[in-house]
């Protein structure tokens, strides 16, 4: 009888910590749906959401704005995510810049965290580093990727 009170406390500690975990997951999920509510026309793919405000700017400008919003530039990592990006490009009839560059090493495309890309959807003949000046990646309305000069202005697309 002596320790039944203690094990009841331990059981409750576990229940509280489980609930804390569930609450954290729910908060993370809810904050993503809030982005789509704030910027309608966003796309939800699994745990990821893609949203645009309609703003257009250079790569550095767009990268900064996504970070400021608590997200990052879109970086589709599979065909389903790329299709979601494509749908937004089609909706606005404007190409987006991805969070993918070969700024560090020419010809080696990486995510903004430095990891090598695990998925790509290059248009035939791309990336061609035209005039040696193309280190960013735009997505065309057909969903295909083209490397493009980072100083060009493109539609912002953030992921959360
Ligand atoms: C051509 C291709 C692309 C390249 C693009 C830019 C155009 O696509 O060679 O690989 O990225 O040109 O070089 O840049 C400027 N300033 O015109 C054109 C298709 C729209
Ligand atoms: Ca190109």
């Amino acid at each position: 009888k002596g320790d039944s009170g203690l094990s009841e406390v331990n059981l409750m500690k576990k229940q509280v910590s489980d609930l804390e975990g569930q609450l954290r997951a729910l908060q993370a999920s809810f904050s993503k749906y809030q982005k789509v509510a704030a910027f309608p026309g966003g796309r939800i793919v699994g745990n990821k959401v893609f949203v645009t405000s309609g703003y257009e700017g250079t790569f550095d400008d767009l990268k900064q704005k996504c970070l400021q919003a608590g997200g990052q530039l879109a970086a589709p990592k599979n065909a389903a995510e790329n299709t979601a990006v494509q749908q937004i490009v089609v909706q606005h009839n404007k190409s987006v810049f991805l969070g993918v560059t070969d700024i560090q090493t020419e010809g080696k495309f990486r995510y903004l965290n430095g990891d090598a890309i695990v998925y790509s959807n290059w248009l035939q003949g791309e990336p061609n580093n035209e005039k040696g000046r193309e280190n960013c990646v735009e997505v065309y309305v057909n969903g295909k990727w083209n490397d493009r000069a980072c100083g060009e202005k493109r539609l912002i697309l953030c992921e959360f």
Side-chain angles (χ1 to χ4, degrees):
K1 172 86 198 105
D3 69 353
S4 75
L6 245 186
S7 54
E8 288 246 319
V9 168
N10 285 337
L11 178 59
M12 289 191 69
K13 280 183 178 171
K14 163 137 177 42
Q15 289 171 329
V16 168
S17 114
D18 286 352
L19 281 170
E20 283 171 338
Q22 289 169 30
L23 181 59
R24 262 192 300 279
L26 196 57
Q27 284 169 326
S29 172
F30 182 71
S31 86
K32 292 182 201 228
Y33 282 88
Q34 278 183 308
K35 312 287 186 200
V36 180
F39 299 101
R43 315 280 320 181
I44 300 163
V45 188
N47 284 334
K48 196 181 268 192
V49 309
F50 295 107
V51 300
T52 180
S53 64
Y55 180 83
E56 293 170 67
T58 64
F59 172 79
D60 285 337
D61 191 2
L62 305 181
K63 180 173 80 171
Q64 156 81 11
K65 283 200 155 48
C66 286
L67 285 178
Q68 213 158 42
Q72 56 193 349
L73 270 179
K77 290 190 167 172
N78 55 54
E81 292 185 0
N82 199 74
T83 296
V85 170
Q86 180 190 356
Q87 287 166 338
I88 290 169
V89 170
V90 168
Q91 212 95 55
H92 290 257
N93 195 27
K94 283 171 185 167
S95 293
V96 295
F97 268 143
L98 298 181
V100 171
T101 78
D102 71 340
I103 287 169
Q104 192 181 323
T105 307
E106 175 52 41
K108 180 83 190 166
F109 284 85
R110 299 178 181 279
Y111 301 115
L112 301 185
N113 71 0
D115 289 351
I117 57 172
V118 298
Y119 168 87
S120 64
N121 195 36
W122 299 111
L123 184 67
Q124 194 169 19
E126 306 296 348
N128 65 352
N129 195 32
E130 182 78 20
K131 296 178 181 159
R133 288 184 204 150
E134 299 188 319
N135 296 331
C136 284
V137 180
E138 65 179 341
V139 178
Y140 289 140
V141 290
N142 64 3
K144 292 293 177 180
W145 297 13
N146 173 42
D147 59 339
R148 197 73 184 241
C150 300
E152 298 288 326
K153 290 188 175 178
R154 290 293 179 270
L155 178 67
I156 193 170
L157 184 63
C158 305
E159 65 175 39
F160 296 90

